[in-house]
């Protein structure tokens, strides 16, 4: 089965999903966007207002920042894949509940199996702590780990995990934007194959 067919199955499952209560209040589920052949996977937190309306990740204010950050290292959306921890919007953009994360990450895990990324970039605290736990890494607070490269060996090969601040924070804190711009440079170095100490 092709990657597109596999991802289509996930889309169908998410559209019919009733595993937590968020399906009741969402307008559209948000599966992901980008290239299934990319080696670079971004993992955000959950759809917000605009994403829920459009069914596409990072299309609001945080998305504008993410686009700028990608552009700063010569990448476009089509060069990467972007998914979220939760596929349905939490009401009023509240934080994801632990139970919702437990219910929904089955889909993200399948997306990771399909894409087989070489670099995973979790955005913000919820995505970072989930990805660290998934790959049995000890998670320190984001201010200590952002922009660092964590290399792990898995059945699908070596994966580099680079935790990043959530671009939404940069919409009200310019210092975070500078930090993100700096941290994004590492993506280029890592994907160009430069030796990065881990
Ligand atoms: N914030 C996220 O974490 N994901 C989105 O898709 C949009 C905003
Ligand atoms: Fe299902 Fe995830 Fe939506 Fe909850 S958030 S209903 S687990 S797809």
């Amino acid at each position: 089965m092709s990657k597109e067919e596999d991802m289509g199955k996930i889309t169908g499952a998410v559209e019919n999903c009733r595993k937590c209560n968020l399906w009741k209040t969402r307008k559209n589920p948000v599966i992901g966007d980008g290239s299934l052949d990319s080696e670079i996977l971004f993992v955000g937190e959950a759809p917000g207002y605009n994403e829920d309306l459009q069914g596409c990740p990072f299309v609001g204010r945080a998305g504008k920042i993410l686009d700028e950050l990608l552009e700063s290292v010569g990448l476009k959306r089509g060069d990467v894949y972007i998914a979220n921890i939760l596929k349905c919007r939490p009401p009023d953009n509240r934080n994801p509940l632990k139970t919702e994360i437990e219910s929904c990450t089955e889909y993200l895990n399948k997306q990771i199996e399909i894409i087989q990324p070489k670099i995973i970039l979790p955005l913000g605290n919820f995505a970072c702590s989930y990805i660290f736990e998934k790959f049995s890494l000890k998670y320190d607070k984001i201010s200590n780990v952002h922009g660092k490269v964590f290399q792990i060996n898995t059945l699908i090969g070596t994966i580099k995990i680079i935790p990043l601040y959530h671009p939404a924070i940069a919409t009200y804190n310019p210092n975070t934007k500078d930090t993100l711009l700096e941290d994004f440079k590492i993506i280029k170095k890592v994907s160009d194959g430069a030796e990065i100490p881990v």
Side-chain angles (χ1 to χ4, degrees), residues 34-65:
S35 165
L36 300 181
D37 295 318
S38 178
E39 298 190 337
I40 303 174
L41 171 68
F42 285 88
V43 180
E45 185 174 310
Y49 176 81
N50 291 290
E51 292 77 19
D52 182 56
L53 280 184
Q54 297 182 40
C56 189
F58 286 94
V59 289
R61 283 206 303 164
K64 263 205 143 119
I65 302 262

Side-chain angles (χ1 to χ4, degrees), residues 17-198:
C17 183
R18 304 281 188 270
K19 288 206 295 173
C20 79
N21 280 327
L22 294 180
W23 69 272
K24 295 181 187 168
T25 46
R26 71 157 189 234
K27 290 198 169 58
N28 294 291
V30 176
I31 317 293
D33 185 31
S35 165
L36 300 181
D37 295 318
S38 178
E39 298 190 337
I40 303 174
L41 171 68
F42 285 88
V43 180
E45 185 174 310
Y49 176 81
N50 291 290
E51 292 77 19
D52 182 56
L53 280 184
Q54 297 182 40
C56 189
F58 286 94
V59 289
R61 283 206 303 164
K64 263 205 143 119
I65 302 262
L66 181 57
D67 287 342
E68 275 180 51
L69 292 164
L70 287 170
E71 206 182 299
S72 75
V73 290
L75 290 170
K76 296 185 296 297
R77 267 176 189 248
D79 300 322
V80 303
Y81 193 85
I82 307 169
N84 279 312
I85 295 278
L86 297 187
K87 307 309 186 203
C88 307
R89 181 192 182 207
D92 302 318
N93 298 349
R94 66 155 169 75
N95 285 339
L97 303 177
K98 200 165 182 274
T99 49
E100 291 163 354
I101 295 173
E102 278 163 9
S103 301
C104 204
T105 41
E106 168 198 344
Y107 303 119
L108 176 67
N109 290 336
K110 286 189 179 148
Q111 288 177 303
I112 293 173
E113 279 172 34
I114 294 168
I115 296 166
Q116 304 206 353
K118 295 228 174 359
I119 306 173
I120 301 180
L121 301 116
L123 301 167
N125 206 30
F126 284 95
C128 288
S129 67
Y130 176 74
I131 292 294
F132 270 58
E133 195 182 315
K134 172 177 167 62
F135 291 105
S136 307
L137 289 168
K138 198 179 160 316
Y139 183 59
D140 199 350
K141 52 184 188 225
I142 196 159
S143 52
N144 286 345
V145 293
H146 72 90
K148 292 189 180 153
V149 183
F150 296 81
Q151 186 161 304
I152 42 151
N153 294 314
T154 74
L155 291 175
I156 54 171
T158 302
I159 300 181
K160 292 186 171 86
I161 294 170
I162 311 175
L164 296 171
Y165 282 114
H166 197 291
I169 303 174
T171 61
Y172 52 84
N173 184 341
N175 291 335
T176 308
K177 187 162 176 192
D178 291 341
T179 306
L180 273 164
L181 281 164
E182 203 49 46
D183 287 352
F184 258 66
K185 291 182 188 161
I186 201 108
I187 304 174
K188 208 61 200 159
K189 289 193 194 136
V190 168
S191 61
D192 287 345
E195 283 301 315
I196 304 288
V198 289

